[in-house]
């Protein structure tokens, strides 16, 4: 894997665009989805190495996307994000083996560190530059 393909899924367009642009500037290939159903569609037709996904979205929630991913043997690591986290969401995310659960607002530096850690742990990936 030369350049990891990340899928950023959030129904908040402004947040999604800021995150995607920041991750692209850090050298990642980034695909966007506006809701959980769009994310499932992207994952079914693309090679995605990591999923960053909001919890609360129309049509299909972030937790439902993670549940869907775990039906496949090679499911990518998932980072669940939300401005409205509670213990129930955290427990469910842990049950579904989400790589990490992050509370919004999220600093891009923090998100980048989590992404690099997951890609290193799951795929042995190391960035070609810092």
């Amino acid at each position: 894997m030369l350049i990891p393909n990340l899928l950023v899924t959030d129904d908040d367009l402004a947040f999604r665009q800021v995150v995607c642009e920041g991750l692209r500037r850090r050298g990642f290939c980034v695909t966007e989805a506006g809701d959980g159903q769009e994310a499932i569609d992207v994952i079914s037709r693309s090679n995605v190495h990591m999923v960053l996904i909001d919890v609360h979205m129309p049509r299909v929630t972030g937790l439902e996307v993670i549940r869907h991913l775990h039906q496949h043997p090679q499911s990518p690591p998932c980072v669940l994000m939300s401005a409205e986290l509670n213990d129930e969401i955290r427990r469910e995310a842990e049950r579904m083996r989400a790589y990490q659960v992050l509370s919004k607002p999220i600093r891009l530096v923090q998100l980048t560190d989590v992404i690099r850690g997951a890609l290193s742990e799951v795929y042995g990936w190391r960035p070609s530059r810092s």
Side-chain angles (χ1 to χ4, degrees), residues 34-45:
D35 65 38
Q37 184 58 56
E38 228 179 281
I40 290 170
D41 294 344
V42 168
I43 292 162
S44 71
R45 66 176 188 269

Side-chain angles (χ1 to χ4, degrees), residues 53-55 61-68 80 89 92-93 96:
I53 192 160
D54 186 36
V55 174
T61 70
L63 289 168
E64 290 169 332
V65 171
I66 293 173
R67 191 172 294 117
H68 171 81
L80 201 60
I89 290 170
E92 185 64 17
M96 288 189 284

Side-chain angles (χ1 to χ4, degrees), residues 10-103:
D10 200 302
D11 59 326
D12 179 337
L13 178 62
F15 174 81
R16 190 173 75 238
Q17 288 176 333
V18 167
V19 169
C20 289
E21 180 56 32
L23 294 174
R24 285 184 185 110
R25 280 188 274 118
R26 284 165 169 75
F28 295 105
C29 178
V30 182
T31 303
E32 299 180 41
D35 65 38
Q37 184 58 56
E38 228 179 281
I40 290 170
D41 294 344
V42 168
I43 292 162
S44 71
R45 66 176 188 269
S46 306
N47 188 18
V48 174
H49 299 104
M50 185 161 187
V51 178
L52 311 167
I53 192 160
D54 186 36
V55 174
H56 305 287
M57 292 182 296
R59 299 201 296 168
V60 179
T61 70
L63 289 168
E64 290 169 332
V65 171
I66 293 173
R67 191 172 294 117
H68 171 81
L69 283 173
H70 285 310
Q71 295 172 1
H72 305 282
Q74 296 297 324
S75 65
C78 298
V79 172
L80 201 60
M81 308 175 291
S82 181
E84 299 173 17
L85 288 175
N86 59 40
D87 290 341
E88 183 180 338
I89 290 170
R90 287 184 185 279
R91 278 193 302 273
E92 185 64 17
E94 191 176 298
R95 258 194 306 279
M96 288 189 284
R97 300 181 322 275
Y99 183 80
Q100 193 144 358
V101 179
L102 300 175
S103 184

